[in-house]
Amino acid sequence: MSATHTEIESSMTPGQAMAGRHDLWLCDVWGVIHNGIAAFPPAVDALRRYRATGGTVVLITNAPRPSEPVRAQLTGLGVPADAYDELVTSGDVTRELIKAQPGAALFHLGPPRDLPLLQGLPNPVVDEKEAELCLLSGALDDEAETEDDYMEQLGRMLARGVRMYCANPDLVVQRGDRLVICAGSIAKRYEEMGGEVVIAGKPRAPIYEAAISKAAAIRGSDVPRENILAVGDGLPTDIRGAAAQDLDVYFITGGIHGAELGDLAAPGGVDAVAAKVRDMFPGIRLAAICDELRWT
């Protein structure tokens, strides 16, 4: 397979039309195949059908947890194991960066559900006042808090020169019909204050390198960049990251940006969205746009 399609048609492009152009789909998870409450059946169907054509699917997610708990979550939400070949999380790659600093005192800022991130790390887990590193996985109460609630704590860490590792670079995520804060919003504020922030997930390179490496192991050979399609809905993460990696992009508009991009079904709607995306990311390899990931 090869990626030869570079221009956007003036209509929404379903997954079946994309299937013969790439060997590998790097597919976002939250907002593309589920909304935090339940899977999107058309997206699950599209992934299964693409795999049936011989394509490889690696899910690539900014979830701030190791991959195994995320697999279990996907199963519970209705995403079966045969919808994908492999899964790489931002939590996985963040842990690898922290492991490279054994012994550095580590403070976890995030909800208890993300505690599996700490298991097996060669770092003593300490209180904030003793920390050299901060592993940020999210707000303690993402239903009620904003980054403003963390200003005092961020100020204390900044004064001590604590380096922050952000395990979920997403700014917000869709939960049902709501948008809730993610770790990326807090990390962005810390960086704006002058703090040092390390990000391994989308849009940064480490998570793409890990995903492409896993795909090569599955397929038994390297996958050329031109044969990879990045599927995602988040402009600051999925789309920015794929553009930076020079990958073909399949933009799903019905996720977190659905309300701001306009109606794809309106006359000229697809072309208008494509123009906005190209203005944001000059040179992007925008292969297709659709309101949701579906096969037909």
Side-chain angles (χ1 to χ4, degrees):
M1 303 179 194
S2 62
T4 59
H5 182 74
T6 58
E7 295 299 321
I8 299 295
E9 299 100 341
S10 297
S11 61
M12 291 182 279
T13 307
Q16 185 176 19
M18 302 299 296
R21 300 170 182 168
H22 304 85
D23 295 318
L24 168 63
W25 284 7
L26 299 181
C27 186
D28 180 43
V29 175
W30 203 315
V32 174
I33 65 174
H34 73 72
N35 65 359
I37 296 176
F40 302 140
V44 171
D45 176 65
L47 295 179
R48 295 169 94 173
R49 287 174 178 266
Y50 172 64
R51 292 189 68 229
T53 70
T56 300
V57 174
V58 176
L59 302 184
I60 177 171
T61 172
N62 276 348
R65 291 177 292 284
S67 55
E68 288 311 310
V70 176
R71 290 180 196 275
Q73 179 193 36
L74 290 174
T75 300
L77 292 172
V79 181
D82 66 354
Y84 58 96
D85 294 276
E86 191 50 275
L87 167 69
V88 177
T89 74
S90 180
D92 290 331
V93 289
T94 302
R95 281 171 49 86
E96 292 304 312
L97 294 180
I98 292 175
K99 284 179 181 179
Q101 301 172 80
L106 181 66
F107 166 63
H108 174 229
L109 175 54
R113 66 175 179 267
D114 297 335
L115 287 175
L117 270 177
L118 304 175
Q119 294 176 3
L121 290 178
N123 305 80
V125 179
V126 299
D127 293 334
E128 174 205 315
K129 63 183 180 181
E130 302 170 334
E132 300 171 75
L133 312 177
C134 170
L135 174 52
L136 170 67
S137 64
L140 295 174
D141 184 357
D142 58 12
E143 296 281 352
E145 293 178 330
T146 73
E147 58 269 32
D148 292 337
D149 293 296
Y150 291 86
M151 289 300 294
E152 184 177 338
Q153 187 172 28
L154 295 180
R156 292 195 301 266
M157 290 195 293
L158 179 65
R160 297 183 52 251
V162 173
R163 181 186 302 121
M164 177 180 287
Y165 287 79
C166 179
N168 179 0
D170 287 352
L171 302 177
V172 296
V173 72
Q174 186 178 8
R175 181 174 294 152
D177 59 357
R178 299 181 54 203
L179 295 180
V180 297
I181 186 176
C182 292
S185 292
I186 300 172
K188 183 172 182 286
R189 183 63 59 86
Y190 191 58
E191 196 166 42
E192 290 170 349
M193 295 166 63
E196 182 181 358
V197 176
V198 178
I199 293 176
K202 296 176 289 185
R204 305 297 172 84
I207 194 167
Y208 291 95
E209 293 168 356
I212 293 170
S213 176
K214 284 183 178 290
I218 292 167
R219 297 186 66 86
S221 63
D222 290 340
V223 183
R225 289 296 174 110
E226 62 268 23
N227 289 357
I228 301 173
L229 181 70
V231 185
D233 71 316
L235 288 168
T237 50
D238 306 319
I239 309 308
R240 182 181 298 278
Q245 294 298 309
D246 198 28
L247 303 176
D248 282 1
V249 176
Y250 188 12
F251 183 31
I252 305 301
T253 66
I256 60 174
H257 302 293
E260 66 191 75
L261 288 173
D263 184 4
L264 287 184
V270 172
D271 290 337
V273 170
K276 291 178 183 178
V277 174
R278 290 191 175 112
D279 284 345
M280 294 179 66
F281 308 107
I284 187 172
R285 294 168 55 154
L286 188 58
I289 293 175
C290 201
D291 57 344
E292 65 176 355
L293 178 59
R294 62 177 185 273
W295 190 244
T296 59

